[in-house]
Amino acid sequence: MKEIIKLLRYIKGYWKDTILTWVCVLFESVCEGLVAYFMQFFINEVESLASAPDNLNMIFLYSGLIAGIAILAAVLGIVAGVFAASAAAGFGKNIREALFIHVQDYSFKNIDKFSTSSLVTRTTTDITNVQGAFQMIIRAVVRAPFLMLFALVMCFVTYWQAALVFLGFIPLAGFVLIFIANRTHPIFVKVFNAYDDLNQAVDEDVDGIRVVKSFNREEYQKEKFKGVSYWIYSNFKKAEKRIALNGPFMNIATYGTMIMISIIVSKAIVSTSETAIGVGALSTMLTYSMMILMSLMMVSMVYVMIIIGRNSTERILEALEEVPDIADPENPIETVPNGEVEFKHVNFAYSEGKDVLIDVNKKVKSGSTIGILGPTGSSKTTLVSLIARLFDAGSGEVLVGGHNVKEYKLESLRDSVAVVLQKNTLFTGTIRDNLKWGNENATDEEIMAACDIAQVTPFLKDMPDGLNTMIEQGGANVSGGQKQRLCIARALLKSPKILILDDSTSACDTHTDKLIRDGLDKYHPELTKFIIAQRVLSVKDCDEIWVMNEGKVLETGTNDELMKTSAVYRDLYESQNGGGDFDAAN
Amino acid sequence: MPRTNIRATKGARNMNMISGKARSAAIGRLLSYVFKYYPAQFVVVLICVLLSSFTSVAAAFFTGNILVNEYIMPSLNAGSLEILTPTSGALAGIPFGGAIAIMASILALGTVALYVYNILMSIIGQGVQKRIRDELYDHMQDLPISYFDRRGRGDIMSVYTNDVDALREMLSRALPMMASSVVTMIACLVMMLLTDLVLTAVVIGVSILIFFIIVYFTKMASRFFIAQQIELGKMNGYIEEMVNGQRVVKVFNYEKRNIEGFKKHNDQFFTYSVKANRFANLLMPTVNQVGNIQYVLIALIGSLAVFNHWTGVSLVGSFAYGIATVGTIVSFLMYSKAFVQPIGNVSQQLNLIALALAGATRIFEIIDAPAEKDEGYVELVNAKEDENGNPIECAERTGKWAWKHPHTDGSPTTYTWLRGKITFDDVDFAYIPGKTVLHNISMYAEEGQKIAFVGPTGSGKTTITNLINRFYDIEDGKVRYDDININKIRKKDLRRSLGMVLQDTKLFTGTVMENIRFGNLNATDEEVVEAAKLANAHNFITHLPEGYNTVLASGGASLSQGQRQLIAIARAAVANPPVMILDEATSSIDSRTESLVQEGMDAIMKGRTVFVIAHRLSTIKNSDVIMVLQDGRIIERGNHEQLLAEKGKYYQLYTGNEIAK
């Protein structure tokens, strides 16, 4: 319930539509009740033709009245529908927008916490579900209780003795409906979880079909699948069997009330006492009983929708309420003076107690080139991530241009620090669109200059439409090496003061790798560069090389110095000497 | 795997226009599942639907005709219902209480019928759905690799998640509702025709009007619904791409532009969503109130008929309207209401049915896709040596294998030892006919030789290896295994004789043990551990929380890339085939694991014929033959020293330098 109230906030801007929907639905229900109410007098008049065949006027009067109310009800219903549509769509739009914008403020840490795939589900499927539920219940939530109440009141007005039947039936029916819903829901939850298993089985199979086929495991996979498939089948069947009780139960309730009311009302109609009522009362009472039971069905539907929507609601709210852990300081510095970087006794841990950076204490002069070597897990990436404040240091300080990174406006800092991520992404759109991520207003000349340095130009020539070549989602239609070069060009277009290449040329052959480094030195000597690499060749010519292991910078020096002083470096150098990468000469 | 909700967005794919013909074929085929597997249940369902619909019509008949005409009207001034009993008709002599009791039992019967068919429909619905799902999955295993190349993974997934689910909704909800609506309408129609033809004509006229209103609104709504679904697909695609690339977004300060891009989609979606739902929302109030107005209209005409003593005509003859027929009008009103009501219900189901049929068409598309053909007849059999060292077939496992080659010309079946010699004879290959990607590939690998492929991405290295195990069939030329054309070998046996370790490791959800045993289902636990030791995987596995019984979720996401690779190597090792196809990893894994992986690879290469897509110098140097590929051709071949001496492409790759011109 608390969750739902929190979500109501997002009706903002569409309260008018929502309230108008409710008002219209309210009056529509009144009209529907009135139609049924007047119907009895109408029928009475028709019936009275048997005894007094001269008052056709009353029949005309009532038919006109009822038709009029019916038209009014139709109009109100239509208007309600129109507003309900925009209220629901607006509600969905607001939540989606709020969540999407909020995710933009997430830090890397926030993203890691949720995982991107879960964030995608929350912003797409979950919101679609909630919007769908809202669309379904916005009218029912007013209509059902009101129609029920109105019908009940009118029953009492028509013939209160018979209406007493409802006082017994409504709570009973409500109780049973809710009981069935509650008994069924847990099975559905189980089934939906099993669907995840099923989807996973299919997904893994499709993804690994080559493995399946090369090991002749088709039959094995079929058997495995049948297990999950059967589980879903039997549980779903169980849940549906329980739900199957709904219809017959409602039948019993409907028919039961119908018969009881028929008896009571029939007796009253024929009685000669003062309480005698018209024949029309019978059909009116029956219509009302249908209305009441329909409303009960609607209430139980709303209840089920809310239960089903609860998961999605919780997941959306969780993401919305996540507090971004990196934000602009007050009175931030807006320009980064130069590319000087300093780590002052920096420690860092992703989870408490497990330091992955230990007392890093290094200073880098503006314009110099630093190479970083070390095995996976030695925290090379983590170290350079602190420069662009993708994470905040646990203890110690990271200084850029002489100021603590926390003092800068995030946007200014990140404009000055270009990071070419190890796991990089290109986006759907043309090559030009992708490169303009670096600078929205870049001219083609600027773009081409960056392409020259990043060695994009040689393969761009072979692209059918040059800069206008479409990149498919995730960069599926360019090779790994081409993707890396495009990512470097994109970063260069930012005109940064510091450039971080995190294993960004691993898929390029050694020759291209060298051309890129030479280009950077020639055209951007002022840039402070950090080059993380697996290949010694990539960092050999750096001003300083840091050898890292287990979160520590173990040894530093130039190639020549390290060859003399560092056994680790020498080993690496010798094992790699003389070999290019045979896969990547493209 | 993200937790996906099965009621997830029916994406734009579902809204593809499917021809009417395909749709009716789909519905016929769906029903054939019902007839085939649940004939008795289906007959019972039909009977129960009939019963339950008739009882609801009977209820209307009871309150209208019987109660009012036979009991209330005659007793109007008598003061009690029990005094007079009908003197004629079916209920002659039965008192009011008795009539009520009869009615109650009929209704009880209807309720039981409703319950029975609800239960049966959930059994049928779920059962058919399960069968189709299993058939779909079973058939998918038999489809050729090229099918998976053509269709995206997401595309196939959506058939399982969206389309099969839409079937359920249709089978267990929409169909029974449709059936009972139709039965009710027919029953009402009959009753109306038996009462008065003119009034019936009015009801039918109004129903046609309602029908057209529904058709119009539905058409308008579905136009916008399609637009809405397409936009939803686009928007979710955008969100997915951007959220996945969120790190890049942050690094480039792209947030503001990102939000702008998103808002465009969100606003567009909003617009379509409003329009579509508006039309959908108009439907019910309009239909309901037209129904009410019709009700009044009938009552009015009926009253005029009574007043003017018109002559009524029904199917069973004509009669004069008068005081005695007032009850007739009241019951006619009941019928007309019961006749019109289902129209609204049916129209709400139509969308569901259309969606389900579109889904069914896509399901059958997969089920009907031609399976991988296998015309092979040469089998791999257990064998032992005869006195001359030749293989003879035997039933027991000897650890030795032979190819059993029957001949069509009547000559006796021949047996050849399984050795692992592979030859390519002038092979051409094209994924798409006409676009040849491999040209004139000829090569031979003797038993126990190591062949390395090197060359740039896209040069055809992986493609060659995919031809050996017949993932794809060649266009021209011959591939032979132990001098037998591989087209003659049963695929199952051919693949059994080949092992594969792919660069992109795929593991399955399950324990480590199960994952390794995937290579050989008959392997004992000890054999699995042996294989793991050979592959250098044993050590890290024993350090996992549950050792070999550790469950790997999501394809082993909790393991490092290198560790996954070690398991994949163990998986191939436990299969112990004479020929191995290996794709070495290029990605940077940490150096300790990397050396473990290399040692593992080297270990399983020993004593086998090996085709390796090589990236490591040590692998390449140790190879018997190195094939340098470019643009689908072998441009250089020889061993390391020979190729260096040639100073060609290999030399250039090796030194990382352009050749001095």
Side-chain angles (χ1 to χ4, degrees):
Chain A
M1 215 44 216
K2 221 169 59 199
E3 286 93 27
I4 293 169
I5 292 167
K6 278 183 188 165
L7 277 190
L8 288 183
R9 214 179 315 157
Y10 298 99
I11 299 178
K12 204 183 77 195
Y14 297 91
W15 272 113
K16 189 196 81 192
D17 303 74
T18 309
I19 288 171
L20 281 175
T21 304
W22 287 340
V23 170
C24 288
V25 167
L26 203 113
F27 283 108
E28 186 200 7
S29 311
V30 171
C31 287
E32 279 181 43
L34 285 177
V35 165
Y37 183 69
F38 285 119
M39 209 62 103
Q40 66 175 311
F41 300 113
F42 183 50
I43 300 290
N44 281 345
E45 290 302 330
V46 175
E47 298 279 357
S48 71
L49 281 176
S51 49
D54 57 337
N55 49 3
L56 212 49
N57 286 341
M58 286 308 283
I59 290 181
F60 285 132
L61 181 72
Y62 277 120
S63 43
L65 183 65
I66 293 171
I69 299 175
I71 291 171
L72 186 61
V75 170
L76 285 166
I78 288 169
V79 175
V82 168
F83 285 119
S86 35
F91 173 70
K93 180 181 135 173
N94 281 344
I95 300 187
R96 198 176 283 115
E97 193 169 303
L99 185 53
F100 190 83
I101 291 176
H102 190 62
V103 170
Q104 302 308 307
D105 290 336
Y106 274 23
S107 70
F108 277 35
K109 202 168 167 185
N110 296 118
I111 298 171
D112 286 341
K113 183 177 156 194
F114 285 99
S115 90
T116 46
S117 66
S118 146
L119 277 178
V120 169
T121 317
R122 285 168 211 245
T123 22
T124 55
T125 315
D126 284 333
I127 292 183
T128 315
N129 283 346
V130 170
Q131 182 180 340
F134 187 82
Q135 163 84 24
M136 297 268 277
I137 63 182
I138 177 174
R139 286 182 296 171
V141 87
V142 170
R143 189 184 164 87
F146 197 77
L147 208 57
M148 181 155 75
L149 193 69
F150 187 82
L152 198 60
V153 169
M154 293 315 271
C155 278
F156 275 96
V157 170
T158 309
Y159 190 63
W160 68 267
Q161 290 91 334
L164 289 175
V165 172
F166 291 114
L167 292 187
F169 265 107
I170 293 175
L172 184 70
F175 175 76
V176 174
L177 284 175
I178 300 280
F179 178 75
I180 294 176
N182 277 343
R183 291 261 294 157
T184 324
H185 174 247
I187 307 184
F188 274 123
V189 171
K190 270 204 289 189
V191 171
F192 291 148
N193 287 335
Y195 262 94
D196 285 353
D197 295 342
L198 181 109
N199 290 345
Q200 175 163 328
V202 176
D203 197 42
E204 282 184 4
D205 185 71
V206 173
D207 194 33
I209 192 74
R210 281 160 198 268
V211 178
V212 172
K213 284 192 176 281
S214 65
F215 285 109
N216 284 321
R217 288 295 166 262
E218 291 95 333
E219 298 305 318
Y220 176 75
Q221 291 291 85
K222 287 177 191 175
E223 282 315 306
K224 251 188 4 191
F225 181 78
K226 287 210 172 88
V228 196
S229 177
Y230 182 78
W231 204 92
I232 289 181
Y233 160 73
S234 56
N235 277 280
F236 224 130
K237 205 169 70 180
K238 197 154 98 193
E240 286 208 334
K241 277 184 179 170
R242 288 187 187 172
I243 285 198
L245 282 171
N246 263 345
F249 171 74
M250 288 313 290
N251 255 9
I252 292 173
T254 316
Y255 292 148
T257 31
M258 211 175 89
I259 286 176
M260 286 177 73
I261 285 175
S262 295
I263 296 173
I264 300 171
V265 175
S266 302
K267 286 191 170 159
I269 292 172
V270 298
S271 84
T272 46
S273 67
E274 292 284 303
T275 57
I277 51 172
V279 179
L282 180 60
S283 68
T284 301
M285 288 294 281
L286 292 179
T287 310
Y288 282 137
S289 54
M290 289 298 286
M291 265 189 199
I292 288 171
L293 293 163
M294 284 301 189
S295 311
L296 273 176
M297 288 284 263
M298 236 191 276
V299 170
S300 100
M301 185 203 79
V302 168
Y303 181 72
V304 170
M305 295 287 299
I306 288 176
I307 290 182
I308 289 179
R310 197 166 59 192
N311 270 342
S312 292
T313 310
E314 278 168 7
R315 288 148 51 84
I316 293 169
L317 284 172
E318 198 188 349
L320 271 171
E321 286 166 2
E322 173 78 8
V323 182
D325 85 318
I326 292 182
D328 279 336
E330 278 174 51
N331 309 318
I333 306 171
E334 300 214 2
T335 44
V336 178
N338 57 55
E340 188 188 279
V341 175
E342 186 174 1
F343 296 98
K344 275 191 182 165
H345 300 286
V346 169
N347 285 279
F348 178 82
Y350 287 103
S351 52
E352 228 164 288
K354 280 188 174 174
D355 275 3
V356 293
L357 283 178
I358 300 154
D359 197 32
V360 177
N361 202 21
K362 297 290 303 172
K363 189 168 179 176
V364 176
K365 270 190 301 198
S366 190
S368 51
T369 304
I370 305 296
I372 305 179
L373 283 176
T376 308
S378 58
S379 304
K380 306 182 293 285
T381 301
T382 310
L383 180 66
V384 295
S385 297
L386 302 181
I387 302 172
R389 213 186 158 203
L390 302 176
F391 296 98
D392 274 336
S395 64
E397 282 185 322
V398 180
L399 278 71
V400 168
H403 298 281
N404 189 321
V405 286
K406 292 181 185 174
E407 294 168 16
Y408 287 107
K409 191 170 182 220
L410 270 178
E411 201 180 328
S412 319
L413 176 69
R414 288 181 187 161
D415 267 339
S416 306
V417 183
V419 188
V420 181
L421 298 169
Q422 190 178 9
K423 281 181 187 155
N424 225 320
T425 319
L426 294 174
F427 296 86
T428 313
T430 62
I431 290 185
R432 183 186 284 105
D433 292 342
N434 268 287
L435 294 176
K436 278 194 170 179
W437 272 60
N439 174 9
E440 219 178 335
N441 306 314
T443 62
D444 275 10
E445 286 70 42
E446 288 167 320
I447 292 177
M448 285 319 294
C451 285
D452 286 343
I453 299 170
Q455 297 302 311
V456 170
T457 316
F459 71 85
L460 194 64
K461 281 193 311 233
D462 298 332
M463 291 277 181
D465 302 310
L467 285 176
N468 294 323
T469 308
M470 284 299 290
I471 296 286
E472 286 162 21
Q473 186 163 350
N477 56 337
V478 287
S479 77
Q482 292 171 342
K483 196 166 130 185
Q484 287 186 334
R485 287 183 260 174
L486 283 167
C487 290
I488 295 173
R490 179 172 67 180
L492 281 176
L493 278 165
K494 275 173 78 169
S495 325
K497 296 199 167 63
I498 298 168
L499 175 69
I500 298 169
L501 301 178
D502 187 355
D503 211 4
S504 307
T505 53
S506 60
C508 300
D509 61 281
T510 40
H511 181 63
T512 309
D513 186 14
K514 184 161 173 27
L515 288 178
I516 295 172
R517 277 180 284 119
D518 290 349
L520 286 173
D521 287 341
K522 186 169 168 197
Y523 296 102
H524 293 285
E526 79 293 348
L527 264 179
T528 309
K529 293 178 276 284
F530 289 85
I531 300 174
I532 297 181
Q534 296 286 330
R535 280 198 294 245
V536 178
L537 270 180
S538 305
V539 296
K540 198 174 146 240
D541 304 325
C542 290
D543 299 328
E544 192 173 51
I545 301 165
W546 300 354
V547 180
M548 288 188 72
N549 197 17
E550 294 181 343
K552 290 179 195 151
V553 178
L554 295 179
E555 287 151 332
T556 57
T558 62
N559 176 59
D560 294 346
E561 289 164 4
L562 287 171
M563 281 301 275
K564 282 182 210 128
T565 57
S566 168
V568 182
Y569 186 82
R570 212 160 39 230
D571 278 357
L572 265 175
Y573 187 91
E574 271 155 18
S575 73
Q576 292 180 3
N577 184 29
D581 190 316
F582 280 86
D583 187 38
N586 195 10
Chain B
M1 264 302 292
R3 243 195 72 90
T4 39
N5 194 317
I6 58 139
R7 284 167 274 71
T9 338
K10 313 270 187 218
R13 266 187 310 269
N14 282 356
M15 304 309 278
N16 290 347
M17 288 302 166
I18 305 250
S19 74
K21 207 169 148 196
R23 212 176 282 185
S24 47
I27 198 159
R29 204 156 153 191
L30 270 181
L31 288 177
S32 75
Y33 279 88
V34 178
F35 297 141
K36 195 165 159 201
Y37 298 108
Y38 301 96
Q41 288 93 327
F42 186 69
V43 171
V44 177
V45 165
L46 275 190
I47 294 171
C48 289
V49 167
L50 277 175
L51 267 178
S52 131
S53 308
F54 277 123
T55 41
S56 60
V57 178
F61 187 70
F62 177 75
T63 47
N65 257 4
I66 299 178
L67 212 57
V68 176
N69 282 4
E70 307 285 336
Y71 293 93
I72 299 180
M73 295 308 274
S75 323
L76 252 190
N77 298 307
S80 165
L81 284 159
E82 304 294 340
I83 300 168
L84 293 163
T85 55
T87 49
S88 62
L91 292 169
I94 297 173
F96 176 71
I100 292 280
I102 291 174
M103 193 58 226
S105 18
I106 292 176
L107 292 178
L109 180 71
T111 305
V112 172
L114 177 68
Y115 182 64
V116 170
Y117 92 67
N118 272 352
I119 292 273
L120 284 179
M121 271 328 284
S122 48
I123 293 173
I124 296 178
Q126 286 301 323
V128 168
Q129 199 195 352
K130 177 181 185 298
R131 268 171 206 287
I132 290 183
R133 202 194 289 126
D134 288 353
E135 234 175 79
L136 187 64
Y137 189 84
D138 280 5
H139 188 71
M140 193 173 80
Q141 305 308 310
D142 299 332
L143 289 173
I145 296 288
S146 57
Y147 187 87
F148 296 90
D149 295 343
R150 271 200 312 275
R151 295 199 57 170
R153 181 167 150 197
D155 203 23
I156 295 177
M157 281 306 295
S158 112
V159 172
Y160 284 87
T161 51
N162 294 331
D163 296 340
V164 179
D165 197 50
L167 278 191
R168 179 180 61 81
E169 304 231 333
M170 177 177 114
L171 285 170
S172 51
R173 282 227 328 257
L175 276 189
M177 195 160 203
M178 288 282 279
S180 95
S181 296
V182 170
V183 172
T184 308
M185 285 176 73
I186 291 175
C188 286
L189 186 65
V190 170
M191 296 306 286
M192 288 194 299
L193 288 172
L194 287 173
T195 315
D196 188 294
L197 293 181
V198 178
L199 290 181
T200 309
V202 175
V203 174
I204 291 178
V206 175
S207 305
I208 291 173
L209 175 71
I210 293 179
F211 178 75
F212 278 114
I213 293 176
I214 289 172
V215 169
Y216 175 73
F217 281 158
T218 313
K219 219 176 184 173
M220 294 302 285
S222 68
R223 226 179 68 198
F224 290 115
F225 268 122
I226 292 171
Q228 180 200 327
Q229 291 301 346
I230 292 172
E231 187 54 42
L232 181 67
K234 281 192 209 158
M235 177 173 69
N236 285 351
Y238 182 88
I239 293 176
E240 202 174 328
E241 184 168 13
M242 287 306 165
V243 173
N244 279 325
Q246 197 64 37
R247 287 180 165 79
V248 182
V249 169
K250 302 235 64 115
V251 164
F252 280 92
N253 283 326
Y254 200 76
E255 294 93 334
K256 282 199 194 99
R257 279 185 273 168
N258 194 11
I259 291 171
E260 275 166 39
F262 162 77
K263 273 189 177 164
K264 263 185 224 147
H265 286 293
N266 200 17
D267 288 345
Q268 192 62 46
F269 175 72
F270 169 78
T271 312
Y272 288 133
S273 174
V274 168
K275 282 186 180 152
N277 284 304
R278 268 185 189 168
F279 277 104
N281 288 350
L282 296 190
L283 195 62
M284 283 320 278
T286 317
V287 170
N288 280 344
Q289 300 314 327
V290 173
N292 272 333
I293 290 171
Q294 173 209 252
Y295 192 83
V296 172
L297 193 65
I298 298 288
L300 194 62
I301 297 174
S303 308
L304 285 171
V306 171
F307 190 73
N308 295 320
H309 301 288
W310 288 344
T311 307
V313 183
S314 80
L315 273 187
V316 288
S318 59
F319 63 97
Y321 273 106
I323 294 165
T325 58
V326 168
T328 315
I329 293 171
V330 174
S331 55
F332 192 91
L333 285 173
M334 287 279 189
Y335 302 141
S336 71
K337 202 168 190 175
F339 179 78
V340 173
Q341 229 158 26
I343 301 180
N345 290 339
V346 170
S347 72
Q348 285 189 318
Q349 304 304 319
L350 284 179
N351 262 337
L352 217 57
I353 292 180
L355 211 61
L357 290 185
T361 321
R362 275 186 297 273
I363 291 172
F364 293 135
E365 220 168 67
I366 296 188
I367 292 185
D368 293 341
E372 199 174 4
K373 273 203 228 75
D374 188 7
E375 281 138 9
Y377 53 88
V378 176
E379 291 172 64
L380 202 55
V381 293
N382 283 302
K384 56 186 178 192
E385 262 176 68
D386 66 5
E387 56 278 9
N388 303 322
N390 292 323
I392 42 171
E393 186 177 357
C394 61
E396 72 272 15
R397 280 198 66 175
T398 52
K400 288 186 175 174
W401 300 88
W403 297 108
K404 179 185 181 184
H405 192 164
H407 297 278
T408 41
D409 57 4
S411 52
T413 303
T414 50
Y415 291 91
T416 321
W417 284 117
L418 171 72
R419 296 182 187 282
K421 175 183 173 191
I422 305 272
T423 48
F424 272 60
D425 190 1
D426 211 7
V427 169
D428 287 349
F429 173 74
Y431 287 105
I432 306 153
K435 278 191 160 177
T436 310
V437 292
L438 287 180
H439 307 267
N440 311 101
I441 303 291
S442 289
M443 59 176 195
Y444 44 93
E446 291 294 344
E447 180 184 350
Q449 275 194 330
K450 187 151 96 182
I451 313 290
F453 296 108
V454 297
T457 315
S459 58
K461 295 169 301 202
T462 307
T463 310
I464 291 188
T465 60
N466 281 339
L467 299 181
I468 303 176
N469 57 16
R470 286 193 71 196
F471 275 175
Y472 303 97
D473 281 333
I474 55 177
E475 288 229 310
D476 201 13
K478 294 243 160 46
V479 181
R480 293 193 181 85
Y481 194 120
D482 290 334
D483 295 322
I484 305 165
N485 185 338
I486 58 168
N487 288 345
K488 292 184 186 169
I489 301 176
R490 285 206 317 187
K491 276 190 181 168
K492 215 174 117 235
D493 291 322
L494 175 67
R495 288 177 187 163
R496 187 142 58 115
S497 62
L498 296 163
M500 252 194 155
V501 180
L502 302 172
Q503 189 191 122
D504 188 10
T505 307
K506 306 289 181 197
L507 299 178
F508 298 92
T509 300
T511 63
V512 173
M513 185 73 88
E514 282 165 355
N515 264 292
I516 297 178
R517 194 175 278 139
F518 200 86
N520 175 7
L521 296 182
N522 297 321
T524 60
D525 286 3
E526 288 71 38
E527 285 171 316
V528 168
V529 173
E530 265 323 297
K533 280 181 181 160
L534 181 69
N536 258 337
H538 179 72
N539 213 1
F540 96 82
I541 294 172
T542 49
H543 282 98
L544 292 174
E546 306 279 323
Y548 280 87
N549 295 320
T550 308
V551 173
L552 303 179
S554 315
S558 54
L559 302 180
S560 77
Q561 163 129 12
Q563 291 171 331
R564 285 205 296 274
Q565 238 157 3
L566 290 176
I567 292 182
I569 296 170
R571 180 169 67 185
V574 83
N576 196 21
V579 180
M580 275 282 187
I581 298 166
L582 303 173
D583 198 345
E584 282 187 339
T586 46
S587 50
S588 36
I589 47 181
D590 75 81
S591 47
R592 234 169 318 157
T593 317
E594 196 179 347
S595 65
L596 287 178
V597 171
Q598 287 171 6
E599 284 169 29
M601 288 264 192
D602 292 340
I604 63 164
M605 286 186 203
K606 260 183 221 134
R608 298 178 215 272
T609 312
V610 177
F611 293 90
V612 55
I613 297 170
H615 308 292
R616 275 190 299 137
L617 195 59
S618 61
T619 311
I620 298 167
K621 272 184 177 164
N622 295 336
S623 297
D624 297 295
V625 186
I626 301 161
M627 307 275 176
V628 183
L629 280 146
Q630 189 161 20
D631 300 327
R633 291 171 209 277
I634 298 177
I635 53 166
E636 289 166 27
R637 65 175 85 204
N639 65 27
H640 180 67
E641 287 73 26
Q642 290 166 339
L643 288 177
L644 278 187
E646 254 180 56
K647 298 235 162 160
K649 181 75 178 173
Y650 182 82
Y651 177 84
Q652 178 193 336
L653 286 168
Y654 176 71
T655 55
N657 292 315
E658 293 289 347
I659 311 150
K661 293 211 172 118

